[in-house]
Amino acid sequence: MTDKKIIAIAGATGAQGGGLARAIMEDPAGGFAVRALTRKPDSEKARALSERGAEVVTADLDDTESVTRAFRGAWGAYCMTNFWEHFSPEKELAQAANMAQAAREAGLRHVIWSTLEDTRKWVPLEDDRMPTLMGKWKVPHFDAKGEANHLFADAGVPTTNLLTSFYWDNFIYFGLEPKRGPDGVLAITLPMGSARLSGIAAEDIGRCAYGIFRRGEEMIGRTVGIAGGHLTGEEMAKAMTRALGEEVHYAEVTPEAFRSFGFPGAEDLGNMFQFKRDFNDYYVGARSVDEARALNPELQTFEQWLERNKERIPVA
Ligand SMILES: NC(=O)c1ccc[n+]([C@@H]2O[C@H](COP(=O)([O-])OP(=O)(O)OC[C@H]3O[C@@H](n4cnc5c(N)ncnc54)[C@H](OP(=O)(O)O)[C@@H]3O)[C@@H](O)[C@H]2O)c1
């Protein structure tokens, strides 16, 4: 048995939860211990966590019983859902409900819910400036997370809502890397106009979450928005030009054009960028670089992230 406060981490084998797990394990004197939830305890990532000292437990967010078992005896939990595995906002809502119920049954003292805005508060379904998707959503992977906020509050779970930002890692893994135009020049293509995109290194999300657990009580009931920087498309392209040593342009397209790109999730992302562009003052204002850095003093800027990751950006 450990006398440390155990943090049960959904998504510990992934980007957000992995950042939190690493932050806890790199600070052995910090008073916290990692319990990693995974469906695949034999996977390479789960084994790597175990080798570094994490307790690895099998749990499926679709199965409340398994989550309750995984939460029992823990102090806190990091709760997240992965929309991109199934593209179902209803499934995200159901998984959030399962985690909220499990957190209540296990009597957790502090839960962090990784959330985003329910954009329908800004763009109601009848507002046709952007299309309604899958019947009742504007930005499905945002809306369901925002709608789920109340599930934790209603269950009486002591919760901090963590409002995340666009991962800069999307320039590596998410198909948003700079691509060559017909003129052979590299360009990042975003429908953001001259608005600012709040971004962050995915690893830093979990590291900020660690800062929230360390602060404890004072963070309960709060919504904390974090970013590593708020950059325009032009600014990101200029920083990439410097990092890659080759000209990168910002190719501005309309949200309509982005929605029509045809890859899975293009409409959802087109609406997402439009929300961020059209409500830019709100969107950027809700995410603080200063607070993120106070929670995580090693918070990376875009330039620092690029310097560490430029070789991984798949430029052909
Ligand atoms: N890309 C962005 O810019 C961005 C920005 C903000 C927020 N987000 C949100 O971040 C989420 C993805 O987070 P991520 O990037 O950390 O994910 P990720 O790296 O793709 O990893 C997904 C994690 O979720 C776990 N998981 C998924 N379904 C599960 C289930 N049924 N039961 C137990 N564990 C499950 C996986 O665990 P196992 O496979 O080991 O079971 C894995 O650890 C998405 O919902 C997305 O909307 C993304």
Side-chain angles (χ1 to χ4, degrees), residues 5-309:
K5 292 175 177 169
I6 295 169
I7 304 297
I9 306 177
T13 56
Q16 293 186 23
L20 171 58
R22 286 181 282 277
I24 293 175
M25 292 190 294
E26 283 167 19
D27 184 17
F32 291 91
V34 172
R35 182 180 289 168
L37 277 62
T38 176
R39 293 160 296 180
K40 297 167 272 184
D42 294 327
S43 70
E44 209 175 297
K45 287 185 170 172
R47 287 216 185 126
L49 287 167
S50 170
E51 276 160 23
R52 289 186 67 176
E55 177 192 2
V56 174
V57 299
T58 306
D60 187 331
L61 305 181
D62 292 325
D63 171 6
T64 318
E65 282 295 302
S66 74
V67 182
T68 307
R69 274 197 303 276
F71 281 0
R72 280 219 175 92
W75 168 269
Y78 186 76
C79 295
M80 55 77 70
T81 49
N82 184 14
F83 177 85
W84 302 110
E85 183 172 310
H86 44 68
F87 292 78
S88 165
E90 287 80 10
K91 201 176 176 76
E92 283 197 290
L93 270 172
Q95 292 181 344
N98 290 346
M99 287 187 277
Q101 189 186 326
R104 187 189 55 209
E105 282 177 22
L108 296 187
R109 308 283 290 273
H110 193 176
V111 164
I112 296 177
W113 165 233
S114 174
T115 192
L116 289 164
E117 286 86 355
D118 183 344
T119 65
R120 297 167 299 179
K121 289 184 189 151
W122 287 262
V123 190
L125 292 185
E126 60 277 13
D127 186 331
D128 58 10
R129 88 184 83 177
M130 57 173 77
T132 293
L133 303 176
M134 293 189 261
K136 58 173 189 153
W137 312 94
K138 286 297 187 186
V139 183
H141 80 283
F142 267 52
D143 298 348
K145 292 183 181 73
E147 185 177 326
N149 293 354
H150 80 89
L151 297 170
F152 292 88
D154 293 353
V157 174
T159 304
T160 304
N161 291 322
L162 181 62
L163 210 47
T164 61
S165 288
F166 175 88
Y167 302 177
W168 291 322
D169 309 66
N170 294 335
F171 292 122
I172 303 175
Y173 301 114
F174 212 65
L176 294 180
E177 71 276 7
K179 297 188 187 71
R180 284 190 200 285
D183 55 359
V185 178
L186 291 172
I188 50 168
T189 302
L190 296 169
M192 287 293 292
S194 56
R196 295 183 178 279
L197 182 62
S198 299
I200 194 164
E203 178 78 9
D204 279 331
I205 295 176
R207 291 181 181 272
C208 289
Y210 179 47
I212 293 173
F213 281 123
R214 289 199 329 157
R215 282 201 195 162
E217 192 92 8
E218 65 178 279
M219 303 304 279
I220 288 167
R222 282 193 55 195
T223 294
V224 179
I226 53 168
H230 307 289
L231 284 83
T232 63
E234 286 290 352
E235 289 169 342
M236 288 190 285
K238 283 209 175 87
M240 281 192 186
T241 299
R242 286 192 295 271
L244 299 178
E246 179 181 347
E247 193 65 31
V248 179
H249 286 174
Y250 167 44
E252 182 193 335
V253 293
T254 63
E256 292 75 18
F258 198 95
R259 282 191 282 270
S260 72
F261 282 167
F263 62 83
E267 288 182 300
D268 188 329
L269 292 176
N271 282 5
M272 174 194 80
F273 285 121
Q274 187 174 346
F275 165 72
K276 293 178 180 181
R277 184 196 70 175
D278 292 355
F279 300 93
N280 203 236
D281 287 347
Y282 157 74
Y283 181 75
V284 167
R287 289 156 170 81
S288 165
V289 175
D290 289 345
E291 177 140 37
R293 184 155 291 117
L295 291 165
N296 165 25
E298 288 165 31
L299 184 79
Q300 297 168 68
T301 62
F302 187 52
E303 283 75 11
Q304 288 168 329
W305 178 86
L306 274 173
E307 200 43 47
R308 287 179 200 172
N309 291 281

